[in-house]
Amino acid sequence: MPRLSRWYIRAGLVHFLLGFTVGALMLANKGVPFYPAAWRWLPVHIELLFMGWVVELTLGVAFWIMPRFWRKPRRGNETGAWLAFLFLNVGIWMVVAGSLWPLTSWGKTAVFGGRLLEAAAAVAFAVHIWQRIVPRNFIPPAHKQ
Amino acid sequence: MPTLTRWFLKSAFLYLVGALLLGVLLAANPLFPLPDFIRFMGPVYFHLFMVGWISQMIFGVVYWMFPIVGRENPRGNELLGWLTYICLNAGLLLRVVGEPAVALRPGTGVGWVLVISAVLQWLGGLFFVLNSWQRVRERGKL
């Protein structure tokens, strides 16, 4: 498993545990109320588990198992995938922070900026992975010389 | 495919079927007279799908496919894997019962079912992370 996949998947596991913790607290509060404002955390729960867990794990595994080239660099130009990791994680935490104060102007700005970064992450990762979605025995033009 | 993975995947498909059947009931509720508890099953529908189906599929495939960690215990601590399975499923099934019960009879002590459900599911998640963390590694080691 390459280093970048390990970063993606470990970040995903951390987000998973945080998202599960928030969810467990909300569920327990539904049964035996102890914190009236627990529902404020619902967007955080969703963000951590959708973007932070499912998307992050998916990108990490995709970077790992998608076809590699016969010659180095085996995974092509990795810049887009690394940028995606950075954008995605900064974006997730901006959305999380903004979601906790949704009525403030900085909260709205943080959510907007976070969503922009998440979209940029998707673009960057797609640019990287596009070159690797190829048939068996494909030789990229750069390797033909 | 290891035994634990087969349990995860087969359970996941049962939850998928259950979630989609519950979706049918939720959609039918405004059209036909159905038992009262059905209208409180919205969150259960969503979590049967996301926890029972998607998370459980991921757990099973991670346990199966991620790099192995050694010759004796190639997939980490198998007991922790089984505890993940038991806690997650027991917690989720308790939620199926507890969620409508709490909505229909608030303040009767039945709320503790949801507390137990939350703790069990959280423990299942914790055990999964603990067992999977060591398997996020460069390559399988024998």
Side-chain angles (χ1 to χ4, degrees):
Chain A
M1 187 186 292
R3 175 178 296 168
L4 181 56
S5 289
R6 299 201 298 273
W7 278 86
Y8 268 112
I9 293 167
R10 286 201 166 138
L13 288 172
V14 169
H15 290 145
F16 168 78
L17 197 53
L18 290 174
F20 239 52
T21 303
V22 172
L25 289 172
M26 288 195 306
L27 181 61
N29 182 69
K30 195 187 259 188
V32 179
F34 57 89
Y35 176 48
W39 281 104
R40 274 182 57 191
W41 289 78
L42 180 62
V44 174
H45 171 61
I46 294 170
E47 179 71 13
L48 288 171
L49 289 175
F50 266 134
M51 302 301 295
W53 164 236
V54 177
V55 172
E56 191 123 20
L57 178 81
T58 306
L59 297 187
V61 172
F63 184 78
W64 174 29
I65 65 168
M66 285 287 174
R68 287 172 290 166
F69 303 121
W70 291 106
R71 283 201 264 158
K72 289 185 177 179
R74 300 288 310 275
R75 290 184 170 83
N77 185 345
E78 298 182 2
T79 309
W82 279 98
L83 279 176
F85 177 77
L86 183 68
F87 291 161
L88 182 64
N89 283 279
V90 175
I92 286 167
W93 282 100
M94 283 176 70
V95 172
V96 164
S99 299
L100 286 173
W101 288 274
L103 301 179
T104 63
S105 63
W106 82 263
K108 291 172 188 171
T109 308
V111 171
F112 175 68
R115 292 285 182 231
L116 272 180
L117 280 173
E118 288 172 357
V123 172
F125 196 88
V127 167
H128 162 77
I129 211 71
W130 209 265
Q131 60 183 333
R132 292 174 56 192
I133 304 175
V134 293
R136 193 173 166 79
N137 297 329
F138 172 79
I139 300 171
H143 290 188
K144 282 180 180 167
Q145 299 135 14
Chain B
M1 188 186 287
T3 307
L4 179 57
T5 294
R6 297 203 301 274
W7 278 83
F8 271 126
L9 299 192
K10 285 182 175 172
S11 303
F13 278 102
L14 291 177
Y15 281 114
L16 176 66
V17 172
L20 297 188
L21 288 176
L22 183 55
V24 172
L25 287 179
L26 286 168
N29 202 31
L31 305 172
F32 308 102
L34 291 172
D36 208 23
F37 72 88
I38 295 290
R39 66 192 168 97
F40 298 110
M41 297 291 271
V44 171
Y45 162 67
F46 191 74
H47 285 86
L48 283 177
F49 199 86
M50 291 306 298
V51 179
W53 161 239
I54 293 183
S55 297
Q56 199 140 222
M57 282 291 285
I58 291 172
F59 286 13
V61 173
V62 164
Y63 186 76
W64 175 27
M65 305 278 283
F66 269 30
I68 57 175
V69 291
R71 199 181 291 272
E72 279 190 22
N73 296 303
R75 293 186 169 86
N77 187 332
E78 191 177 345
L79 176 64
L80 219 46
W82 281 105
L83 284 174
T84 301
Y85 177 83
I86 292 165
C87 287
L88 190 83
N89 284 283
L92 187 55
L93 292 173
L94 275 180
R95 182 175 192 161
V96 173
V97 178
E99 187 111 32
V102 167
L104 289 170
R105 294 181 181 79
T108 57
V110 75
W112 284 98
V113 173
L114 289 188
V115 176
I116 296 167
S117 162
V119 171
L120 283 171
Q121 289 184 78
W122 184 79
L123 283 174
L126 176 68
F127 295 152
F128 166 71
V129 171
L130 289 176
N131 211 26
S132 303
W133 193 268
Q134 58 184 325
R135 296 187 58 195
V136 182
R137 56 190 302 142
E138 193 166 1
R139 59 173 56 91
K141 178 179 161 189
L142 283 172

